[in-house]
Amino acid sequence: NPGCYATATELALIPLLKAQVIDLDSIIVDAKSGLTGAGKGLSDSSHFVNVHDNYVTYKLNQHQHIPEIVQELKLFDVQLEHIQFSTSLIPVNRGIMATAYVKLKKSLSEKEILAFYQDCYAEKPFVRIQKHLPDLHNVVGSNYTDIGFSYNEVTNILTVVSVIDNLVKGAAGQAVQYLNLMFGFDETEGLLSSPNFL
């Protein structure tokens, strides 16, 4: 069962790697997590008084999910060797936002980029491609992953934002989804709850 950071990051990048349209040395991921993503162990770094009204970057270039992310992304482009990956705690209870910055090999239209994502996730009931950059409110409390992007034609940099609920899609909900697939149930069984924010 993939970790929460791994899930959000991989879903943001897989369509681009499959299409082989990005410079593999350019991948930078800035991932942010709500406090529940830090685990349930007591520590100064996750103590409420240190997190509230604060933004803390941690485990820069050392996060335990980096090898897992690279391992799985290599399945879509074997030439990938590494990514630049940073993680931060944000003062919210739940949610992961992974923002990936990649340089395209050549200029592409937003329509072409959108097609990569739509083709890749057309049969995936829990991945929703947005026409705007997504936010946490639209996924917290659900098993959905929302993905949006913006392309800068001047710098040739594509920014992709992927958001999930770390406790559902990043953990228990995803485990139920895999159980459904393994035992022949409908993939969405028990998982079609709406996000908390309406």
Side-chain angles (χ1 to χ4, degrees):
N1 203 34
C4 50
Y5 278 130
T7 297
T9 301
E10 291 164 20
L11 290 174
L13 294 171
I14 285 170
L16 303 173
L17 291 170
K18 284 179 73 173
Q20 297 191 333
V21 294
I22 59 175
D23 178 351
L24 297 179
D25 289 331
S26 74
I27 302 171
I28 298 172
V29 178
D30 178 25
K32 286 80 63 180
S33 173
L35 189 55
T36 53
K40 63 182 181 178
L42 299 175
S43 69
D44 285 342
S45 62
S46 62
H47 195 282
F48 177 80
V49 296
N50 293 326
V51 176
H52 180 68
D53 285 340
N54 201 4
Y55 181 104
V56 179
T57 298
Y58 68 102
K59 293 187 181 178
L60 188 61
N61 302 319
Q62 301 172 30
H63 198 279
Q64 64 270 21
H65 284 195
I66 296 172
E68 175 189 355
I69 293 167
V70 172
Q71 169 190 291
E72 295 307 306
L73 291 179
K74 283 178 78 72
L75 298 175
F76 300 92
D77 193 327
V78 294
Q79 296 182 64
L80 177 73
E81 294 296 330
H82 57 268
I83 62 172
Q84 178 64 37
F85 188 76
S86 67
T87 51
S88 301
L89 281 180
I90 56 176
V92 299
N93 290 331
R94 297 166 70 158
I96 297 279
M97 177 177 280
T99 306
Y101 306 93
V102 297
K103 190 167 196 124
L104 298 181
K105 290 180 180 176
K106 64 176 186 178
S107 182
L108 294 170
S109 70
E110 292 208 354
K111 187 175 181 181
E112 289 173 302
I113 297 166
L114 179 62
F116 298 143
Y117 283 89
Q118 289 175 331
D119 291 347
C120 187
Y121 296 128
E123 304 297 320
K124 305 301 178 189
F126 293 111
V127 179
R128 304 184 300 192
I129 309 306
Q130 305 296 320
K131 294 182 179 178
H132 52 79
L133 296 179
D135 61 59
L136 293 176
H137 277 164
N138 293 322
V139 296
V140 169
S142 78
N143 197 54
Y144 291 105
T145 302
D146 282 2
I147 300 173
F149 64 86
S150 180
Y151 176 50
N152 186 333
E153 295 178 357
V154 176
T155 62
N156 201 33
I157 299 292
L158 177 66
T159 301
V160 182
V161 177
S162 171
V163 294
I164 66 169
D165 182 329
N166 57 297
L167 298 179
V168 185
K169 184 61 176 175
Q174 186 152 248
V176 171
Q177 186 177 348
Y178 289 147
L179 180 142
N180 287 341
L181 291 169
M182 289 171 60
F183 288 94
F185 302 128
D186 187 289
E187 184 175 355
T188 63
E189 192 70 36
L191 294 170
L192 291 174
S193 58
S194 298
N196 295 342
F197 184 79
L198 296 174

